[in-house]
Amino acid sequence: METQYNLRKFVPNDLQAVMQTNRVCLPENYTDFFFVDLHQRFPETFILAEENGKILGYIMCRIEVGLSNMGLGGLMRKGHVVSIAVIPQARRRGVAQAVIKKALEGMQYYRAKQAFLEVRVTNEPAIALYKKLDFEISKTINGYYSDGEDAYVMTKKLA
Ligand code: ACO
Ligand code: ZN
């Protein structure tokens, strides 16, 4: 029988493994300070999937305050999915779906009313994943990425 992965929060000792996962999966990479800072500020939304001591994937997020675009006016907390990735050998096993669901709970713990993220308009696997979790495309940002590609902003209302 195939072993199952566990979900847990990031701890500082995971830094190198998570940075390596990020590098193999995405062209958007960050300094070690960036990862550590997000963990220090928002530990409940920095989630890992692990199997037999190996990191299969991660999600890290930031809580931001912005104008409500849900018809209420005023300011609202939003959970921003900054980065999510799963190593190629562990894809299509529900890892991304599991870490996002856990991070959405963390966003609600921080009293965020909405989750959002940017995704490359050509990133079909990721767009399909977010649609499956009821994120909707709310706008396009032209030239968002450093290579000039456009981003969709996708949002999901939190209960
Ligand atoms: N093609 C079509 N649909 C897909 C695909 C795919 N390749 N991958 C996932 N999905 C959809 C399916 O609906 C899938 O459900 P199903 O397997 O029952 O059909 C659902 O998403 C859940 O899939 P998971 O198994 O949870 O996804 P996985 O663990 O494979 O990770 C991810 C998906 C994170 C997009 C992975 O492919 C990856 O790491 N890609 C490279 C990094 C990346 O693009 N990250 C997102 C950038 S945007 C951002 O970070 C905000
Ligand atoms: Zn972003």
Side-chain angles (χ1 to χ4, degrees), residues 22-67:
N22 168 253
R23 277 194 297 267
V24 301
C25 294
L26 282 166
E28 289 74 40
N29 307 131
Y30 313 94
T31 61
D32 50 5
F33 174 81
F34 186 85
F35 290 87
V36 168
D37 181 58
L38 280 183
H39 169 246
Q40 285 183 345
R41 291 160 66 203
F42 310 111
E44 302 293 330
T45 52
F46 199 151
I47 307 296
L48 309 182
E50 183 184 49
E51 185 173 62
N52 302 324
K54 175 149 179 70
I55 304 297
L56 304 185
Y58 71 88
I59 184 170
M60 60 178 181
C61 312
R62 177 162 63 217
I63 307 301
E64 299 173 3
V65 178
L67 279 178

Side-chain angles (χ1 to χ4, degrees), residues 5-15 17-18 43-51 53-55 57-59 98-99 102:
Y5 49 83
N6 303 308
L7 301 182
R8 63 171 176 83
K9 288 183 226 172
F10 174 93
V11 295
N13 194 39
D14 295 313
L15 180 62
V18 169
E44 302 293 330
T45 52
F46 199 151
I47 307 296
L48 309 182
E50 183 184 49
E51 185 173 62
K54 175 149 179 70
I55 304 297
Y58 71 88
I59 184 170
V99 296
K102 199 84 188 153

Side-chain angles (χ1 to χ4, degrees), residues 81-128:
V81 178
V82 173
S83 185
I84 175 172
V86 173
I87 59 170
Q89 314 89 273
R91 290 186 186 162
R92 296 310 283 269
R93 291 177 56 198
V95 170
Q97 199 171 310
V99 296
I100 296 186
K101 284 186 174 167
K102 199 84 188 153
L104 294 174
E105 292 174 14
M107 289 176 187
Q108 290 183 292
Y109 169 85
Y110 294 125
R111 290 179 283 122
K113 303 298 181 214
Q114 189 187 84
F116 77 99
L117 53 84
E118 301 91 16
V119 59
R120 288 177 182 268
V121 297
T122 58
N123 192 344
E124 289 173 14
I127 293 167

